[in-house]
Amino acid sequence: MKFSLPYDTPKGQREAITADDPTITVEAGAGTGKTWVLSQRYLRLLLDDDELLPSDILTLTYTEAAAGEMKARIESLIEASLKDYPDQERKQNILDGLSDSWISTIHAFSTRLIRESGLSLDIDPRASVISAHQEQSFWEDLKNAVEFAGLERLAQNYTGGEILKAAEALDHDGYMSAAVGKWGARNLAQLAYKTADLHSSSGLSWEDMMKWSKDDSELITKAGRSVMSLLSREWRNAWLLWKDVHISDVKTTDAAGNSLKNFLDTSRANPPSDNDGVRSFYADITSRPDFIGKTKALLAIRDTPVGDTLSGWRKSQPSTLKNIAANFKSPISPEEEAMRRTLLKFCAVSWGIWDSMKSKRGLLSFSDMILHAKKTIEQKGIRKTFKHVLVDEFQDTDPLQFSMIEALKNYREDSKLFAVGD
């Protein structure tokens, strides 16, 4: 019994289901039948390969709900399709194998992989996922440590060595004190949290960031580029939002309306083409006073994708994004470079304490799970390999997750990757 599709299956879906290349990526928007395609491909793989079992196919998605729906759909499809399957032994093997199938979120898969292979890693295989409360509690403690120059005391609770020495130095660092006075302890704690989250998802560590804080050339530049890449993404999103805002019916007496209209028209005629261009646009749209007014033309902005007046939208924008966009200068002064190094050291220390706390308490974050799963694969520590890896919502994959999936595919020579996303 070979696999077949309904005769009216669209060409694009048919090709996605039947293609047999080592790596296949499919771009499809919401409501285009991605789940149907993936489940049909799963069935096709089983029917076209007499040796394949459900345990040989790894299927990954990004929410528990989606994983549950995917598992239910695949099982229902297989049970219905095998109803009249002539080879009863093969049929039973497939049906029995469904109980051992690997259909889950990428994080649940990583947890399963770690627990089955944990003895090959320097972590407790019984480690649990950190809760939201535990996470919030740590970063609140860090905020308090920053506010009262107590980073050394916080570090002593969990670690020693380089982190402890650097924490002690930061407690007596004039630039650190200035940063607390300028931006506040809570904002600095948020900076450390977001920095650790961003760079850990790229497979980096606090040690990498500590090196950046010591090096005055290449590594500092790399860190600056990473931060600028993150900021420019937000600035570009603002441009993509405002470029489609067309202000019409502006009276000649409406100075603010005409000023904003001319600015947007000019920007559309000469759209920003690089990071500095989107930064400049963002600085103007969030700070120029001549755009503000309460005329009919300006109030109509609420009916555009912006969904608010310019003043209201400005208030929703993070102050850090606005300040950096408005005050960006290059090259930076020695004082600014010293401040940047201090902030990099602070982020490295905070990240290091965060990792030490989790390790001491037997806790893992989502990024930790992906990183350890990737290490398990690279160290040839996994007991189970997969001939096929199917990934749903591939657009949500961050660099660390993608590197783990890639390592998994490369683990065995005949493994094939099928990824679908928006």
Side-chain angles (χ1 to χ4, degrees):
M1 180 177 178
K2 290 300 182 181
F3 175 79
S4 64
L5 284 167
Y7 74 93
D8 57 348
T9 301
K11 179 182 178 182
Q13 292 185 343
R14 184 178 294 275
E15 290 176 346
I17 294 166
T18 59
D20 202 35
D21 299 328
T23 300
I24 302 166
T25 57
V26 178
E27 182 178 353
T32 56
K34 289 183 293 183
T35 304
W36 183 83
V37 166
L38 199 146
S39 58
Q40 289 287 333
R41 183 173 178 84
Y42 193 109
L43 174 64
R44 198 270 294 176
L45 295 173
L46 288 172
L47 294 183
D48 285 358
D49 185 342
D50 292 337
E51 301 298 321
L52 196 70
L53 290 172
S55 60
D56 298 318
I57 306 172
L58 172 65
T59 306
L60 300 173
T61 188
Y62 286 86
T63 68
E64 294 290 349
E69 178 189 351
M70 182 72 70
K71 184 175 178 63
R73 181 173 293 195
I74 286 175
E75 290 180 353
S76 176
L77 175 65
I78 290 174
E79 289 169 358
S81 300
L82 296 184
K83 188 175 181 180
D84 298 319
Y85 197 76
D87 187 337
Q88 291 300 309
E89 182 180 359
R90 169 66 176 157
K91 172 183 175 179
Q92 197 59 47
N93 286 338
I94 293 175
L95 293 177
D96 290 345
L98 290 175
S99 62
D100 195 35
S101 63
W102 292 70
I103 305 172
S104 68
T105 66
I106 193 168
H107 297 110
F109 164 73
S110 299
T111 301
R112 183 175 175 181
L113 198 66
I114 290 169
R115 286 179 175 163
E116 291 190 1
S117 312
L119 295 178
S120 66
L121 295 173
D122 188 24
I123 60 170
D124 187 340
R126 298 166 297 178
S128 59
V129 179
I130 191 167
S131 69
H133 173 73
Q134 290 170 316
E135 188 170 0
Q136 291 166 3
S137 178
F138 172 82
W139 292 105
E140 185 67 21
D141 288 345
L142 181 77
K143 187 270 294 182
N144 293 332
V146 171
E147 189 169 7
F148 299 106
L151 285 171
E152 181 187 8
R153 291 193 299 275
L154 182 63
Q156 284 174 337
N157 294 329
Y158 306 111
T159 187
E162 183 179 10
I163 296 173
L164 183 59
K165 290 180 181 178
E168 180 184 8
L170 285 169
D171 284 340
H172 301 90
D173 189 316
Y175 284 102
M176 188 67 199
S177 298
V180 175
K182 182 174 179 62
W183 294 297
R186 186 168 298 281
N187 284 332
L188 290 174
Q190 277 291 307
L191 172 67
Y193 165 74
K194 291 180 179 179
T195 299
D197 186 57
L198 171 69
H199 290 289
S200 63
S201 69
S202 298
L204 299 174
S205 68
W206 68 265
E207 290 97 333
D208 295 309
M209 186 155 288
M210 190 68 81
K211 290 177 183 177
W212 295 344
S213 72
K214 295 175 182 178
D215 195 296
D216 61 355
S217 56
E218 183 179 358
L219 290 175
I220 288 282
T221 302
K222 283 184 179 179
R225 284 174 180 167
S226 295
V227 173
M228 183 55 67
S229 175
L230 181 65
L231 293 174
S232 64
R233 191 184 313 155
E234 299 300 323
W235 295 334
R236 184 168 298 280
N237 286 339
W239 157 246
L240 294 175
L241 176 68
W242 281 93
K243 74 181 181 67
D244 293 325
V245 175
H246 296 269
I247 299 175
S248 58
D249 300 326
V250 187
K251 295 182 179 180
T252 55
T253 55
D254 181 0
N258 279 291
S259 184
L260 180 58
K261 180 181 184 302
N262 291 336
F263 170 71
L264 293 175
D265 288 346
T266 300
S267 298
R268 277 189 287 269
N270 298 283
S273 58
D274 54 20
N275 287 346
D276 192 57
V278 291
R279 178 204 61 77
S280 179
F281 174 86
Y282 187 85
D284 285 337
I285 199 69
T286 56
S287 64
R288 278 182 52 173
D290 56 316
F291 295 164
I292 299 300
K294 294 184 178 180
T295 64
K296 182 177 179 180
L298 290 175
L299 291 175
I301 293 174
R302 292 178 298 191
D303 299 324
T304 71
V306 174
D308 201 345
T309 62
L310 176 57
S311 296
W313 179 81
R314 283 180 174 181
K315 290 178 182 177
S316 72
Q317 297 301 293
S319 58
T320 303
L321 280 177
K322 292 188 285 190
N323 290 337
I324 295 178
N327 301 297
F328 182 81
K329 293 181 292 184
S330 183
I332 64 172
S333 68
E335 291 78 13
E336 289 172 318
E337 184 173 344
M339 174 62 83
R340 186 167 69 179
R341 290 188 189 181
T342 294
L343 292 177
L344 283 168
K345 182 189 288 187
F346 162 67
C347 289
V349 166
S350 302
W351 187 355
I353 299 173
W354 167 238
D355 278 357
S356 298
M357 182 278 288
K358 290 182 292 179
S359 177
K360 187 172 183 179
R361 296 183 178 178
L363 299 170
L364 293 172
S365 68
F366 286 137
S367 290
D368 293 332
M369 289 191 292
I370 303 297
L371 182 61
H372 286 305
K374 178 174 180 281
K375 286 180 179 178
T376 301
I377 298 166
E378 291 174 340
Q379 293 171 8
K380 308 296 183 182
I382 59 175
R383 303 186 182 101
K384 174 63 187 170
T385 63
F386 303 95
K387 189 170 182 179
H388 297 277
V389 180
L390 313 181
V391 185
D392 192 18
E393 304 297 344
F394 192 63
Q395 76 280 355
D396 293 331
T397 306
D398 65 32
L400 180 59
Q401 292 168 346
F402 176 75
S403 66
M404 187 203 74
I405 292 170
E406 192 172 40
L408 197 60
K409 176 186 178 296
N410 295 334
Y411 194 88
R412 53 184 284 179
E413 291 183 0
D414 63 341
S415 185
K416 296 181 180 181
L417 171 65
F418 177 84
V420 60
D422 293 344

